[in-house]
Amino acid sequence: MSEVAVSDETLMSAVAEGDIEAFEQLFLRYQTAAWSVAYRYCSDATEAEDLVSDTFLRILDAAPRYRPTATFRTYFYRVLTRRCIDFARKKRPQPTDTLPPVHAPGLSQAESAIQRERNQLIQDALEQLSQKHRLVIVLRYFEGLSNIVIAEILQTSPKSIERMLARARKRLEPLLHSLLEEE
Amino acid sequence: MHCNDMSKQLAGYARGEIPQKKRIAVLRHLQQCAACRARLADLDTIAAALLKAPETPAAPERLARNVMQQARLQSRQTTEVTLGPIAWWRTATVAMRSAAVLALLFGLGLGSLMGTTASPPLVASRNLEPAPQGMNSLQAFRVLGDLPDASLAASYINLLGLETQRTEP
Ligand SMILES: [Zn+2]
């Protein structure tokens, strides 16, 4: 197909008219981002799945009221991060299903074990952060979003994002100590 | 993306100013390349440490299936709730429209039949005049007077008209 890709905002107006195919397009564009944020944020695969479903069904539900005042991307992350914070409020004390083991192809068993250990260490460290700080860290480092975009998503100023990042990093430093020493 | 192309991107990443289009490529490279991570560590130690995490595994396959299944269900329910009569009319097929017209006329016809044959209420308000005897309420609607002669509605009116004439003393 040589067609120019339809913009997210156009797809969203179609969703508002009840076009479920347009919704599927948006889902396919954003599911990876949703999953990776939820995965890093929750440290629990079942919760991450619920969070992603919940986010997209919210977006579908709110489509008739959607006004493209910000880009759809910002709107999407806004819904997602709100769901993250709401989820944490009703979070069960014990994770029901820890993150699925990471299988990178071509890794030996020993290498896989090291990767799993690193992953666990990082997730444990992230869990020590407050919800907002954890979100800022995930959006900035795992999603690679700029401070300006993160500020738009969390509806605050880039300065305040910088302050949150500085505090979160200070908190993470001793927790990631063993990773900082490596290499 | 190549290690050579990363120099500019590393500084941007460390400052939180990564260009949107390069975001995914830069992240993927950093997760896979220890050399570039070491260069990043000079700029941002925490970032370099976090990127030692293995790549996020793909979402389970059932996720997409479940979301789309629920979305279809949810959108069907909202369509039923939010579609008003006018919106319904616009989206309805010819067969659905004809069925709706028939149902409406049948309802009107049945309603006026019941109106002429049912016994009057036991207690009527003194201020209300009783409806004129034998007058078919349906015929009082001027709009229905303009119905095409051969239409189904017109036949209904005629039928009702005959019915009321026959029951008149
Ligand atoms: Zn490299």
Side-chain angles (χ1 to χ4, degrees):
Chain A
M1 282 209 293
S2 58
E3 288 169 46
V4 181
V6 183
S7 76
D8 296 340
E9 292 74 20
T10 308
L11 283 175
M12 196 55 178
S13 340
V15 175
E17 299 284 313
D19 184 344
I20 204 77
E21 308 301 323
F23 175 76
E24 190 162 23
Q25 287 290 310
L26 280 175
F27 174 77
L28 293 174
R29 283 183 193 183
Y30 283 92
Q31 66 161 339
T32 309
W35 171 253
S36 80
V37 170
Y39 172 95
R40 290 290 165 204
Y41 182 86
C42 292
S43 305
D44 181 277
T46 310
E47 284 196 350
E49 263 187 81
D50 286 353
L51 217 153
V52 173
S53 314
D54 222 54
T55 299
F56 282 104
L57 295 176
R58 280 273 155 139
I59 289 172
L60 175 65
D61 196 42
R65 298 183 296 281
Y66 168 77
R67 296 287 170 273
T69 48
T71 62
F72 175 79
R73 184 171 59 114
T74 300
Y75 173 75
F76 155 78
Y77 277 115
R78 215 173 264 169
V79 178
L80 176 65
T81 51
R82 273 192 206 138
R83 299 314 298 144
C84 282
I85 288 171
D86 283 352
F87 246 69
R89 278 192 199 119
K90 46 187 179 179
K91 193 174 156 68
R92 294 175 286 269
Q94 277 295 311
T96 48
D97 186 5
T98 45
L99 291 173
V102 182
H103 285 301
L107 283 189
S108 72
Q109 266 198 324
E111 283 169 325
S112 289
I114 293 174
Q115 291 244 317
R116 259 204 306 278
E117 210 171 288
R118 279 179 178 176
N119 203 44
Q120 195 59 54
L121 184 92
I122 288 167
Q123 288 306 131
D124 288 349
L126 291 176
E127 285 224 44
Q128 299 300 309
L129 299 176
S130 72
Q131 296 161 15
K132 269 265 167 80
H133 286 181
R134 200 187 319 159
L135 275 175
V136 172
I137 291 282
V138 169
L139 295 176
R140 169 70 184 272
Y141 292 121
F142 290 100
E143 287 296 290
L145 296 177
S146 71
N147 291 354
I148 295 173
V149 172
I150 300 173
E152 263 172 33
I153 294 167
L154 299 177
Q155 290 170 299
T156 179
S157 65
K159 273 266 168 283
S160 132
I161 297 297
E162 269 168 44
R163 276 196 296 274
M164 278 196 251
L165 274 169
R167 264 182 248 137
R169 282 150 59 141
K170 200 162 242 171
R171 183 97 177 82
L172 284 175
E173 218 172 288
L175 301 167
L176 298 175
H177 185 72
S178 60
L179 286 178
L180 296 170
E181 297 289 289
E182 271 178 32
E183 282 176 340
Chain B
M1 189 165 274
H2 242 251
C3 295
N4 293 339
D5 309 321
M6 285 292 288
S7 312
K8 224 196 327 182
Q9 307 304 335
L10 284 178
Y13 180 76
R15 280 199 309 268
E17 290 167 9
I18 199 169
Q20 180 56 27
K21 279 183 189 149
K22 304 227 164 117
R23 194 167 64 94
I24 305 294
V26 170
L27 279 173
R28 187 147 302 154
H29 184 93
L30 280 170
Q31 284 190 305
Q32 287 163 354
C33 178
C36 284
R37 265 202 319 266
R39 281 155 75 196
L40 176 65
D42 293 337
L43 304 166
D44 187 336
T45 47
I46 297 294
L50 288 173
L51 289 174
K52 284 182 183 171
E55 269 185 65
T56 308
E61 268 174 40
R62 62 167 179 270
L63 180 63
R65 220 173 27 241
N66 290 348
V67 169
M68 286 315 299
Q69 213 167 28
Q70 284 189 60
R72 289 208 169 83
L73 205 73
Q74 184 173 311
S75 96
R76 213 170 300 148
Q77 279 164 357
T78 21
T79 316
E80 279 161 15
V81 174
T82 53
L83 268 188
I86 293 167
W88 182 89
W89 184 260
R90 269 197 235 124
T91 56
T93 61
V94 178
M96 283 159 83
R97 288 180 188 185
S98 324
V101 172
L102 275 179
L104 181 70
L105 288 173
F106 180 73
L108 276 173
L110 194 69
S112 53
L113 250 184
M114 286 163 76
T116 50
T117 53
S119 41
L122 291 176
V123 187
S125 166
R126 264 180 297 142
N127 298 333
L128 282 177
E129 277 186 32
Q133 281 292 312
M135 171 69 174
N136 188 306
S137 57
L138 192 60
Q139 287 165 314
F141 286 109
R142 199 171 297 165
V143 270
L144 292 177
D146 296 323
L147 287 167
D149 275 343
S151 73
L152 188 65
S155 343
Y156 260 116
I157 304 286
N158 284 340
L159 184 73
L160 293 168
L162 284 174
E163 279 294 319
T164 38
Q165 274 165 22
R166 228 187 286 151
T167 48
E168 256 169 17

